[in-house]
Amino acid sequence: MFTIQPTTALFSETDALIFGLYHENKQHQPVYGQLNEALGGALDQYIKDGDLSNDYNKISKVYTLNQTTAKRIYVVGLGKKKELTSQKLKKTFGRLFKQLQADGQSNSTFVLNSFQTDQISEETVAEVLSEAMVIAPYQFENYKTTNKKPATKMEHVTLLSDQQEASLKGSLEKGYALGHGANTARHLVQLPGNLLTATDLAEYAVSMAEDYGFEKEILEKEDMERLGMGALLAVNQGSTEPPKMIVLKYQGKEKWEDVVGLVGKGITFDTGGYSIKPKDGIVGMKGDMGGAAAVLGAMEIVGRLKPKQNVVAVIPSTDNMISGNAFKPDDVITSLSGKTIEVLNTDAEGRLALADGITYAKHHKADRIIDVATLTGGVVVALGDSMTGAMTNNDDLYEKVDTASKQVDELIWQLPYNEMYKQRVRSSELADLNNSPGRKGHAIMAGSFLAEFAESTPWVHLDIAGTSQAETAYDLGPKGPTGVMARTLATYIMNL
């Protein structure tokens, strides 16, 4: 996939030669001068005529007409050096790789130091380039029967650099793994509910465990009944599909201690149950397992990069259906923790499944827990589709997760959590908790409910209901599932 060669190989044969161009004096950018000379001053003329731009996120394509060894040259506009960040660079690489795919380019050569700044090393350039190459041109599978030419995939990339090959390879591997983790999450969310049941999700996790050497545990319905997972079982009551409690364990340390718990909501289709969703709201509910997808995407990254950290991933999975057996508003159920719950809304099912998932993660000795879920429409009303809502009972853990989210540009925003909200989820006259105290502060109520099961364990809740889907194509991906939080979770683990 990747080859590293010295910058002296600038005039080696290639289908596409790519370099970055800043606003700063182009005479101080050696690659520009060398190529401009080889092309008889054509680059200067293209800039003068407005056919080539050094503005940020502008991609200019130059046909060399056999005047040099590259068939095409792509000039990536980078704007002002002091304004470029690694995330902005990643986005412009995303746009570039989409352009290369559209042009049918499968092989390319990058002049790495042309993208470097005082703040952005060649290693960082290599990492974001590799990540963008994987996630930006990604296309979803479909089930159309018409013949369609498959999209061109980037088969080989040559990097021209005088840096040590080992350091660049590590950066390339990290970016490549991050990209594949996000795409795994995207793929799972895109699958229709009839093709991704809880059983299918469990089989996918088992396959991942075999690929990366994870320890695995799949609890069946009888196991849940024996253990007393009444919250997850209640959600499953109306379904003909059996539930699964999916557990993957990665041990990166000698002893099973200092364990990060990742808990993902795995509702493979959500009708809302007897609190049924409206006809417009029910479409797209195959994606209600976006939290589970993010956790599995993160585990793929962990499996590829093998950090020295212990991780347990827990995914409570079922669909939420309607039948004569389905659970109902006013039911009282008993969770794995022993806490009783009055059900006021069967469409607030995700928090019930997660309640047993969080408790089971603690059974596996998780001493800090991050849960991820497409949990509430309320978070979309509050934050829109650009930021993930977050809650916590531990500021130190939250700050570390926030740092990881900024590193991969999956931004989160902290919602309040205090005694007032705790009392609202404890307001049932019949049980220890109620699962839906009302519409006011809906996203906060859902998180506050989950906190009752995290208890004293440091915990962060991530509500991705607004960020799990992109309504339009963007520089780093297509319209549809984004795979959000897979990279954040993995980056948090690697930062440890």
Side-chain angles (χ1 to χ4, degrees), residues 58 98 101 123 128 144 146 172 276 294 349 425 474:
K58 298 292 186 181
K98 284 191 170 189
Q101 184 181 65
E123 287 79 8
V128 298
K144 296 182 179 182
T146 53
L172 291 168
I276 192 169
E349 88 299 329
V425 297
Y474 55 109

Side-chain angles (χ1 to χ4, degrees), residues 148-445:
K148 185 179 179 182
K149 184 180 177 181
T152 302
K153 293 185 178 181
M154 188 59 63
E155 295 175 356
H156 192 266
V157 173
T158 299
L159 303 180
L160 302 183
S161 174
D162 296 323
Q163 296 293 315
Q164 289 188 350
E165 189 169 318
S167 64
L168 290 179
K169 281 189 173 180
S171 297
L172 291 168
E173 289 170 2
K174 181 180 178 184
Y176 196 76
L178 288 169
H180 273 285
N183 285 350
T184 288
R186 286 169 164 174
H187 166 72
L188 291 170
V189 174
Q190 183 72 354
L191 288 172
N194 62 322
L195 300 182
L196 187 73
T197 63
T199 298
D200 295 321
L201 193 63
E203 289 174 354
Y204 191 95
V206 168
S207 176
M208 182 178 288
E210 292 170 352
D211 288 342
Y212 297 112
F214 300 148
E215 184 181 335
K216 61 185 182 295
E217 178 186 34
I218 308 295
L219 295 187
E220 305 294 344
K221 186 175 182 178
E222 309 79 62
D223 302 316
M224 300 177 203
E225 290 170 340
R226 176 174 50 80
L227 292 169
M229 293 184 175
L232 176 58
L233 288 168
V235 180
N236 178 252
Q237 276 179 215
S239 180
T240 58
E241 291 287 340
K244 305 287 180 179
M245 182 67 83
I246 302 163
V247 180
L248 297 179
K249 295 172 74 171
Y250 166 79
Q251 186 165 346
K253 296 185 176 184
E254 187 175 341
K255 295 181 179 179
W256 188 250
E257 57 188 16
D258 189 29
V259 180
V260 176
L262 306 179
V263 183
K265 174 185 172 184
I267 304 298
T268 57
F269 193 86
D270 181 19
T271 66
Y274 277 106
S275 305
I276 192 169
K277 294 178 181 292
K279 63 179 182 179
D280 294 332
I282 205 168
V283 175
M285 283 300 105
K286 66 178 185 178
D288 208 19
M289 37 59 67
V295 167
L296 287 174
M299 290 302 289
E300 174 159 339
I301 299 167
V302 167
R304 285 175 178 267
L305 297 179
K306 303 194 183 315
K308 293 181 180 179
Q309 180 60 48
N310 293 331
V311 186
V312 59
V314 179
I315 296 171
S317 187
T318 179
D319 49 9
N320 183 23
M321 304 299 284
I322 302 171
S323 76
N325 293 326
F327 77 135
K328 311 171 296 299
D330 291 338
D331 283 359
V332 174
I333 60 179
T334 303
S335 66
L336 175 62
S337 72
K339 293 181 180 180
T340 55
I341 304 163
E342 181 184 12
V343 177
L344 299 182
N345 181 356
T346 62
D347 194 23
E349 88 299 329
R351 66 200 71 176
L352 299 177
L354 287 169
D356 281 351
I358 289 170
T359 302
Y360 202 56
K362 293 196 293 185
H363 285 200
H364 280 279
K365 298 184 179 180
D367 52 22
R368 51 200 183 280
I369 292 172
I370 306 169
D371 80 75
V372 194
T374 50
L375 206 59
T376 66
V379 80
V380 186
V381 175
L383 299 177
D385 59 5
S386 298
M387 300 193 80
T388 291
M391 292 176 64
T392 190
N393 63 6
N394 186 284
D395 289 339
D396 181 60
L397 176 59
Y398 176 82
E399 287 173 8
K400 289 182 172 64
V401 175
D402 185 45
T403 296
S405 77
K406 289 183 171 71
Q407 287 176 249
V408 296
D409 202 29
E410 294 182 331
L411 301 182
I412 65 178
W413 190 264
Q414 186 175 2
L415 300 172
Y417 173 60
N418 57 37
E419 194 64 31
M420 174 178 63
Y421 297 121
K422 295 177 185 179
Q423 292 307 316
R424 284 187 62 190
V425 297
R426 298 171 183 170
S427 61
S428 171
E429 296 180 1
L430 298 177
D432 298 321
L433 306 168
N434 78 79
N435 80 324
S436 184
R439 294 189 61 83
K440 294 180 180 180
H442 186 210
I444 298 172
M445 290 302 98

Side-chain angles (χ1 to χ4, degrees), residues 66-103:
N66 296 321
Q67 290 180 279
T68 184
T69 50
K71 293 180 181 179
R72 296 176 182 84
I73 295 174
Y74 289 82
V75 182
V76 180
L78 299 173
K80 297 179 180 179
K81 273 192 173 184
K82 64 181 181 181
E83 294 179 358
L84 191 72
T85 65
S86 61
Q87 295 306 327
K88 289 178 69 176
L89 181 59
K90 186 194 302 182
K91 289 176 182 177
T92 205
F93 276 143
R95 174 168 290 201
L96 169 69
F97 279 111
K98 284 191 170 189
Q99 181 67 56
L100 292 171
Q101 184 181 65
D103 291 347

